[in-house]
Amino acid sequence: MTDRYDPAAIEKKWQQKWAADRLYEVHDDDPRPKYYALTMFPYTSGDLHIGHWYPMAPSDMHARYRRMRGYNVLHPMGFDAFGLPAENAAIRRGIHPFKWTMDNIANMRRQLKSLGAIYDWSREIITCLPDYYQWTQWFFLKLYEAGLAYRAKAPVNWCPKCQTVLANEQVVGEGLCERCDTPVVHRDLEQWFFRITRYADELLEFEGIDWPERIKTMQRNWIGKSYGTEISFGLDVPGVADKEIRVFTTRPDTVYGVTFMVLAPEHPLVDRLTTPDNKAAVDAYVAKSRKLNEIERLSTEKEKDGVFTGSYCVNRLNGKKVPIWIADYVLLSYGTGAVMAVPAHDERDFAFARKYDLPIPVVITPPDWDGKELEAAYIEPGNMVNSGRFDGTPSTDGIEAVSAYLEEKGWGKRTVSYRLRDWLISRQRYWGAPIPVVFCAKCGEVAVPEEDLPVLLPEDAEFKPTGESPLKYNEQFVNTTCPRCGGPARRETDTMDSFVCSSWYYLRYVSPHYAEAAFDPDKAKLWCPVDFYSGGAEHAVMHLLYVRFFTKAIRDLGIIDFGEPFLRLFNQGHIISGHQKMSKSRGNVVNPDAYVAELGADVVRAYLMFIGPWEQGGEWDDSGIGGVSRWLGRVWRLALEGYAPGKTAAADETALARATHQTIKKVTEDIERIHFNTMLAALMGFTNRLNGAREQRTISKDVWDHSIRTLLLLLAPSCPHIAEELWQRLGYDYSIHDQNWPEWDEALIKEEEITLVVQVNGKVRDKVLVPAAITENEARKVAVAQPKVIAHIGGKRILNTIYVPGKLVNIVVK
Ligand SMILES: [Zn+2]
Ligand SMILES: [Zn+2]
């Protein structure tokens, strides 16, 4: 009698042995071809729930499969440890962020080890430790030297609850903070930026990388490239040095219809252009618009309003005076912060002109236009009218013609515009890598020299957010000497967005202990870029965009020689529970620990892969995981309860061999296509097939052993512990995880056909071609369905059916 399948008894044992034998340690000098499989590293805000395991377990299976396919696989793990969520959680609990983070890491590491993954823990990285963030600071210096990091005053997104600025990418939905859902407000602040806009065009190219269409589209939309024309309007206002206002438009064909100009309320010219009798109204409007965020300002629900500044500019094309207004639906951060208003051919301008009784001259004719005033804006193409030299030109040609004329006259130029803004990377928070810059009264802004890195984050600092960087109040940190003149200087007290840390982490894994540089260049040459990257689609226009920018920027600095970090990207779906996304606030979080303790890591792993297509996710369900557990129990008994062959039948042996090879093919192809759920279904089907063969006892011990051996090999990446245990108990050489992936024989897979003889009462009545692998049940069904057979059965009662496998069916009737 064999013992019962008891995961608790075998999983710990194998994890310890694999660790003691350093089975999964990755060697750079391994002669096999490299394969770098990376999963987005987890954020250290607390426990890992089952949703966190969902990216990990299937990706570990995939990496293990590559390993068995003969690759030297790097599949590292680490922790994204700086940033707001960990800091906020620490503050809520009254614990220092460092202690909170490191305690979380210890727990998460324990959880991840219980998963039985092939992570080489000697390569672990933690972004909040000085030996890591020293290099984050070093990269900052490199970007700074290249002019790709700069400080500027700008209207920025401010989260009143998190008490810090946010990048545009961190403002989600209706203008809410991505972390805490608080409505974001605008402030004008001196901040640090990375010049991601310089790479806007290159970031639109996805040549040579295999990324989901959805992510590419999101990035393209976020970058928002549009072609248009910049037009200069003349300015001649006493006391104002500026002699023009430039606008960006995609409709230069309508320029003769401009009847007013609109500036963003925060446009630098507003103050100077406002005449004394309009000042009170303008000031009040500016103050009011400051209280609104971008989303509120652009909302289609909101009625468009504005005020007149009292000044005019000139439309150079027709010499007309154009009144200059301000309105909050114009944003300084988009285009030039000024918009030419053509009310006849723009819905928003039309409503605005109606409200303030501004003229609405038609310059593009609607079909059958009778020369009367328009009832609504006409935005379709037509012929140009009231447009001087362009009268009669089709508006679609007018775009080109007007642009060319403007360029010829020096009044404008064809240009492109982007929605993408530079990446705001400074945060007024404690828990981040300090920005390595000092301010000297004599020298100004001075970068900390490389050899003085790291600029250590002081542990004894007050860390509660106040709206300014908490480091400002830490005298020991702030006061320093200027590296250039040796005089007194003050340190920059803002810290870096944690997305900076994760923009280069894939490089650190190749040589995590390298002290001379951020990474060993030879090792980076060996391993990079990453072959397969998996993680959540929610990172589409944050991490996944930043890391591409960062990679291109440091390539241009000669630090690496490739421009895309991840050759293939895969986004998994979500595990939900109770039909909802798991979250602590909903109270529907599934903790993997209890399931691992009760059913085993192999069962949890397999269930996560079986629950649905990986890119879609699925609903966590206790009865579903029970089914997976029972399946592994059947595998256990099948392998260990022994097999006693009876009289063997060649046809049955061939049929089982065929089923075995078909399973190898199906499992292999499903893993390649990332169809892990159907891969497991195929293994379950094969298990049933073997159970049937075991009862029939018509195959030899050799064929049986080969099939069981194959089942274990195919199971090894998904369920590494039970596969190793059974492998050892059946007397094979340790370790199953060092074995080659089985190959299939295409010729063997082809269904062979046999001739099935059908008798009625012992007399041959028909012969039918059937698949050789036909089961008894199927053979009976085929037999009684033949017309000749039906004729001989007539209305008689079937007493018995005798089946000789692979040969005949004899139907006994009376
Ligand atoms: Zn917030
Ligand atoms: Zn100085």
Side-chain angles (χ1 to χ4, degrees), residues 15 33 162 170 175 231 268 317 338 355 443 457 492 541 556 629 736 742:
Q15 284 164 17
C162 297
Q170 288 166 320
I231 304 179
L317 285 120
K355 183 176 165 97
C443 315
L457 182 67
E492 170 60 76
V541 296
D556 288 348
S629 178
I736 190 170

Side-chain angles (χ1 to χ4, degrees), residues 440 442-443 482 484-485:
C440 166
K442 227 163 73 191
C443 315
C482 171
R484 197 170 293 161
C485 71

Side-chain angles (χ1 to χ4, degrees), residues 70-362:
Y71 289 91
N72 186 26
V73 175
L74 175 59
H75 185 49
M77 187 46 67
F79 300 95
D80 189 13
F82 265 145
L84 275 180
E87 187 178 5
N88 288 344
I91 289 166
R92 270 201 304 280
R93 289 167 176 79
I95 305 171
H96 191 282
F98 181 79
K99 180 170 167 31
W100 166 248
T101 302
M102 296 311 281
D103 286 352
N104 280 337
I105 288 175
N107 184 49
M108 290 163 78
R109 191 191 289 117
R110 174 194 60 76
Q111 287 184 296
L112 287 169
K113 284 188 175 175
S114 77
L115 175 70
I118 58 167
Y119 307 136
D120 176 354
W121 287 101
S122 71
R123 288 180 186 253
E124 177 191 273
I125 59 172
I126 299 175
T127 60
C128 69
L129 297 182
D131 67 355
Y132 185 90
Y133 72 71
Q134 155 174 16
W135 302 111
T136 306
Q137 293 173 334
W138 180 83
F139 278 116
F140 175 93
L141 293 179
K142 292 292 138 191
L143 296 184
Y144 182 73
E145 283 164 22
L148 290 169
Y150 67 94
R151 193 161 161 265
K153 188 164 187 170
V156 296
N157 308 298
W158 176 266
C159 174
K161 188 160 177 223
C162 297
Q163 301 257 317
T164 183
V165 301
L166 302 170
N168 286 343
E169 291 80 6
Q170 288 166 320
V171 181
V172 297
E174 299 283 297
L176 306 177
C177 168
E178 180 233 353
R179 293 298 185 197
C180 70
D181 287 345
T182 303
V184 165
V185 296
H186 278 169
R187 282 196 180 180
D188 287 328
L189 289 171
E190 196 92 39
Q191 294 293 320
W192 286 96
F193 295 88
F194 281 167
R195 218 179 283 281
I196 189 171
T197 52
R198 188 175 287 178
Y199 287 87
D201 276 318
E202 205 190 335
L203 287 168
L204 288 168
E205 301 293 326
F206 297 89
E207 200 102 335
I209 58 174
D210 178 8
W211 279 36
E213 216 41 62
R214 179 166 62 127
I215 302 289
K216 293 196 276 189
T217 301
M218 285 167 84
Q219 294 202 348
R220 283 196 197 103
N221 291 344
W222 184 257
I223 293 164
K225 183 176 186 175
S226 58
Y227 294 88
T229 306
E230 212 173 271
I231 304 179
S232 165
F233 283 73
L235 199 59
D236 188 16
V237 176
V240 177
D242 300 68
K243 291 298 166 214
E244 63 169 359
I245 294 176
R246 296 186 84 88
V247 300
F248 173 82
T249 178
T250 55
R251 293 292 305 273
D253 53 318
T254 66
V255 67
Y256 286 86
V258 173
T259 57
F260 57 102
M261 170 74 63
V262 187
L263 300 185
E266 59 274 58
H267 195 290
L269 277 174
V270 170
D271 233 16
R272 283 170 283 157
L273 292 180
T274 303
T275 56
D277 38 331
N278 290 288
K279 187 163 168 39
V282 167
D283 286 354
Y285 189 86
V286 170
K288 187 181 71 150
S289 69
R290 270 188 195 284
K291 297 202 181 92
L292 301 175
N293 63 44
E294 268 182 34
I295 306 287
E296 290 164 339
R297 285 170 60 169
L298 296 177
S299 165
T300 49
E301 316 275 289
K302 183 180 173 295
E303 200 189 343
K304 305 293 175 259
D305 59 6
V307 289
F308 180 42
T309 62
S311 291
Y312 295 82
C313 58
V314 174
N315 186 344
R316 299 183 200 267
L317 285 120
N318 56 14
K320 285 194 177 148
K321 272 176 78 178
V322 178
I324 303 171
W325 288 63
I326 62 168
D328 59 14
Y329 66 81
V330 178
L331 303 175
L332 186 61
S333 58
Y334 188 72
T336 60
V339 168
M340 66 176 213
V342 186
H345 306 293
D346 180 278
E347 284 162 1
R348 195 177 55 183
D349 298 346
F350 187 89
F352 196 92
R354 275 273 171 100
K355 183 176 165 97
Y356 294 106
D357 209 14
L358 295 157
I360 309 179
V362 172

Side-chain angles (χ1 to χ4, degrees), residues 382-397:
N383 284 329
M384 293 173 72
V385 288
N386 302 323
S387 296
R389 58 194 297 130
F390 298 101
D391 279 354
T393 310
S395 60
T396 42
D397 299 339

